């Protein structure tokens, strides 16, 4: 795996070579490594994988202005250009699904396929209210309170209830310690999401992978995304919002299986 900086100082992660391009768009408060690390090796077996850490996470400095979805898209496309990838599939997780959809809407001739996991066309009331609180707690530096909000929303009930009291507290501490400086900026972008118009005009093979025990992005909101994306396939993972933590092998299998079925000119 190699890393580099784009012209605007965004950190780019690259892995694999010789295969079709696959761009990674990570979730809010995450990074390429934290959201895709457990499946990067599998994805790179058949693809040239390129991802960019958003401002304020990974190795990318925090933005001085509010984030814009189009700016995140431009960074990801610039990274693809730097790696010589003319065409590519895009894998978007959570907020990264919004990035992937907007990228496909703006660059339809370059996107061969979309894979969207735990994502949404619009935030809706539940996710919108959580994003408000997330952004405010981040602004105040209340990392532990934010972790106590997000841990039960992102872990499936089954995974959470298997933990001992001590393991729960350790999960809270680890989550609080992992929050990047730009996480609140990402949450504000989640709040304003509405990709329904973009989705309606897409014509690209797509797979929507739903996280069925997700307390952060409700299943109904994920279904709305699939319904708004013409011709999208639907698959389910019995996991919370963190498939890379709960079911990484199953997640990777769904992604690679779908991409392997694409026609040669889409691969």
């Amino acid at each position: 795996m190699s890393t580099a900086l784009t012209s605007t100082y965004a950190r780019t992660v690259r892995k694999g070579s010789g295969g079709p391009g696959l761009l990674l768009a990570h979730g809010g408060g995450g990074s390429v490594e934290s959201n895709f690390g457990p499946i990067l090796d599998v994805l790179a077996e058949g693809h040239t994988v390129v991802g960019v850490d958003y401002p304020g996470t990974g190795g990318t400095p925090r933005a001085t202005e509010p984030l814009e979805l189009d700016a995140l898209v431009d960074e990801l496309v610039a990274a693809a250009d730097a790696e010589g990838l003319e065409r590519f599939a895009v894998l978007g997780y959570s907020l990264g699904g919004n990035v992937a959809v907007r990228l496909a809407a703006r660059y339809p001739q370059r996107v061969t396929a979309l894979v969207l996991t735990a994502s949404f066309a619009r935030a809706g009331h539940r996710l919108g209210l959580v994003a408000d609180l997330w952004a405010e707690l981040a602004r105040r530096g209340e990392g532990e309170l934010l972790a106590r909000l997000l841990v039960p929303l992102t872990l499936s009930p089954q995974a959470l209830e298997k933990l001992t009291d001590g393991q729960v507290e350790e999960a809270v501490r680890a989550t609080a310690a992992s929050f990047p400086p730009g996480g609140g900026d990402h949450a504000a972008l989640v709040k304003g999401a509405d990709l329904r118009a973009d989705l309606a005009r897409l014509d690209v093979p797509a797979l929507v992978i739903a996280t069925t025990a997700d307390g952060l992005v409700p299943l109904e909101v994920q279904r709305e995304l699939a319904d708004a994306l013409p011709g999208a396939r639907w698959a389910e993972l019995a996991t919370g919002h963190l498939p890379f933590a709960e079911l990484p092998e199953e997640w990777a299998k769904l992604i690679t299986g779908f991409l392997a079925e694409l026609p040669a000119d889409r691969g």
Side-chain angles (χ1 to χ4, degrees):
M1 181 171 65
S2 63
T3 62
L5 295 179
T6 69
S7 59
T8 52
Y9 306 103
R11 178 177 176 270
T12 299
V13 176
R14 180 185 186 278
K15 191 174 181 68
S17 61
L22 176 61
L23 305 189
L24 305 181
H26 68 77
S31 67
V32 173
E33 181 61 35
S34 66
N35 288 172
F36 300 108
I39 65 171
L40 271 178
D41 287 341
V42 175
L43 298 179
E45 288 178 2
H47 295 84
T48 299
V49 182
V50 174
V52 173
D53 289 329
Y54 305 153
T57 192
T60 304
R62 187 177 179 185
T64 57
E65 301 291 336
L67 296 184
E68 295 183 357
L69 195 61
D70 284 350
L72 301 187
V73 168
D74 289 342
E75 290 289 358
L76 194 50
V77 171
D81 291 341
E83 298 295 340
L85 298 178
E86 178 60 30
R87 303 188 76 208
F88 37 73
V90 189
L91 168 58
Y93 163 71
S94 194
L95 173 63
N98 294 172
V99 176
V101 168
R102 179 60 57 82
L103 196 160
R106 290 181 56 195
Y107 299 93
Q109 300 306 314
R110 300 189 66 176
V111 176
T112 60
L114 291 175
V115 181
L116 311 175
T117 301
S119 196
F120 46 93
R122 60 187 180 91
H125 297 310
R126 180 185 179 89
L127 180 56
L129 289 169
V130 172
D132 280 339
L133 189 53
W134 180 350
E136 180 60 19
L137 289 174
R139 186 188 69 81
R140 297 183 184 185
E142 296 282 4
E144 183 178 337
L145 285 178
L146 179 55
R148 291 188 182 279
L149 168 70
L150 292 180
V151 165
L153 290 177
T154 55
L155 284 176
S156 66
Q158 181 181 18
L160 183 61
E161 296 307 324
K162 284 183 178 179
L163 301 179
T164 66
D165 291 349
Q167 289 172 328
V168 170
E169 291 305 312
E170 177 55 33
V172 168
R173 288 191 294 269
T175 300
S178 72
F179 289 135
D185 304 331
H186 305 168
L189 197 57
V190 168
K191 169 71 174 183
D194 190 337
L195 278 292
R196 287 174 292 180
D198 288 321
L199 287 160
R201 65 175 187 265
L202 294 184
D203 181 17
V204 62
L207 173 66
V208 174
I209 302 175
T211 43
T212 60
D214 196 327
L216 183 63
V217 182
L219 189 59
E220 294 80 5
V221 173
Q222 298 182 59
R223 173 60 77 177
E224 180 184 46
L225 167 65
D227 290 344
L229 182 50
R233 295 192 198 177
W234 175 264
E236 296 184 353
L237 280 177
T239 175
H241 192 67
L242 311 177
F244 47 86
E246 294 190 39
L247 295 174
E249 293 181 2
E250 292 85 345
W251 187 31
K253 184 176 181 179
L254 286 174
I255 296 165
T256 57
F258 172 72
L259 295 177
E261 293 175 3
L262 296 175
D265 64 336
R266 290 277 186 178

